Amino acid sequence: MHFTTEIDGSTARITVHGEIDYDTLHLLRAAEAGLPASVTALVWDLEHARFMDVAGLHLLFEQQSPEGPVRRTTVTNLAPQPLRLLMLATEVRPGLELTRLFPDTPTALLDD
């Protein structure tokens, strides 16, 4: 697994290439932690992440550190398997705010 990071103003895009699992989670968390404090929006681009296990759920849903900057986190370009995992997670835990991750997706599409 590797990733690329692009920063445009106050928005960072981290594009993941490979699997997101417990072996790679620490690398992705370090990438997020290493972003400048001026970054207020983080986009996880998962187009090339064809597999994600529960570690990806931790990455996307865990509360941010109170010492770190507040960032709005979203996800784009989900492959079918990671999207299915997110949908299953919200079936099991309806309190997970899936719409927070997909702010531009109509909720009707998420309900299918």
Side-chain angles (χ1 to χ4, degrees), residues 32-76:
E32 181 178 5
L35 293 172
S38 60
V39 170
T40 58
L42 171 59
V43 178
W44 289 102
D45 186 337
L46 302 183
E47 179 178 9
H48 304 289
R50 299 291 176 201
F51 174 81
M52 180 172 78
D53 68 11
V54 71
L57 298 177
H58 288 282
L59 179 70
L60 299 174
F61 288 108
E62 280 184 353
Q63 297 294 327
Q64 299 173 0
S65 167
E67 297 87 39
V70 175
R71 293 192 176 112
R72 180 173 176 252
T73 300
T74 57
V75 177
T76 190

